[in-house]
Amino acid sequence: MDNDKHLKGTTTVGIVCSDGVVLATEQRATMGNFIASKTAKKIYQIDDLVGMTTAGSVGDAQQIVRVISVESKLFKMRRQESVTIKGIATLLSNLLSGQRYYPLMVQLLIGGFDKNGPAVYSLDALGGKIEETKAVSTGSGSPMAYGVLEDRYKDDMTVDEGVDLAIRALHNAMKRDSASGEGIDVVVITKDKYERLDQEEVKEKRKALY
């Protein structure tokens, strides 16, 4: 039996900043009330400057990552340019809505930087797609994360400020949600780079906030 299919529980955050996008998740995967992993990967790089966070079934998420990574590579080969964030969100929306009778049990955030600037989209299991203009959270701990995001988000935040806000929001969710994990994974995407923050740096930032 594939245990991956049944790993669930997550809080993810996406923040649109003036100079890029911050994507962050905690790192626990659960099977019922059993903690199956404390270092589960929930942010995937699917193009040079595009990341995707996943909440829900790990097996379904990995299937989606494989499909969308291939699609974005094919687009780049044919067009000699990267697909836009909106384009990837539309591809994902079509993929998810095509599975309507056997839905993939996921909530996704797609974020990155393209020729139009920074962008984040959220998608539900049936392919519903929303462009997020500020901050968004998905998963079991999202109600707690939203409390912090709505209180502290401001227009024209830099990615450095976005990183601190994302860590603060996840820390808050993790204190109150048994399905959210211990570690925090943070990715920063600007026009020049896709960067995953070092775990020690994240721990230091987390300590400094409290």
Side-chain angles (χ1 to χ4, degrees):
M1 185 172 154
D2 178 11
N3 282 343
D4 247 9
K5 275 301 237 190
H6 302 281
L7 299 180
K8 292 181 169 60
T10 284
T11 310
T12 77
V13 169
I15 300 175
V16 182
C17 304
S18 58
D19 51 346
V21 161
V22 176
L23 299 174
T25 73
E26 44 60 48
Q27 296 178 309
R28 184 191 292 175
T30 58
M31 295 167 63
N33 293 321
F34 169 67
I35 299 167
S37 170
K38 292 185 180 178
T39 56
K41 181 179 179 183
K42 299 173 187 175
I43 308 180
Y44 299 87
Q45 184 172 6
I46 55 175
D47 204 344
D48 294 341
L49 297 176
V50 186
M52 182 172 84
T53 75
T54 62
S57 163
V58 177
D60 285 352
Q62 289 172 341
Q63 180 185 339
I64 291 166
V65 169
R66 284 192 290 270
V67 172
I68 209 66
S69 297
V70 169
E71 289 290 342
S72 58
K73 285 189 180 78
L74 287 172
F75 183 95
K76 194 180 283 185
M77 283 166 56
R78 288 189 200 115
R79 306 283 184 92
Q80 303 301 307
E81 65 173 352
S82 292
V83 61
T84 61
I85 314 302
K86 183 178 182 179
I88 291 177
T90 301
L91 281 170
L92 279 168
S93 174
N94 292 341
L95 172 67
L96 291 166
S97 62
Q99 294 279 329
R100 187 166 291 274
Y101 296 107
Y102 301 97
L104 298 165
M105 302 314 294
V106 289
Q107 285 181 293
L108 307 174
L109 295 179
I110 288 284
F113 207 102
D114 61 21
K115 60 189 180 184
N116 303 311
V120 172
Y121 286 81
S122 61
L123 291 104
D124 65 27
L126 297 178
K129 177 183 74 173
I130 299 172
E131 181 175 8
E132 306 291 348
T133 55
K134 295 181 178 178
V136 59
S137 181
T138 71
S140 53
S142 58
M144 284 72 79
Y146 265 123
V148 175
L149 295 173
E150 288 172 355
D151 184 46
R152 292 178 176 265
Y153 181 89
K154 60 182 194 287
D155 293 331
D156 295 324
M157 289 185 96
T158 64
V159 288
D160 288 343
E161 292 171 317
V163 166
D164 287 346
L165 177 57
I167 291 171
R168 189 186 290 273
L170 284 174
H171 179 89
N172 215 49
M174 289 153 67
K175 284 193 301 190
R176 294 174 173 81
D177 176 37
S178 64
S180 289
E182 281 81 24
I184 293 177
D185 202 7
V186 182
V187 165
V188 175
I189 308 171
T190 63
K191 65 179 171 54
D192 301 314
K193 65 184 179 190
Y194 178 108
E195 180 187 15
R196 177 173 257 107
L197 267 59
D198 179 75
Q199 277 300 304
E200 286 307 309
E201 185 181 350
V202 174
K203 278 181 194 163
E204 287 305 312
K205 283 180 175 291
R206 202 168 164 188
K207 270 189 215 156
L209 291 172
Y210 294 92

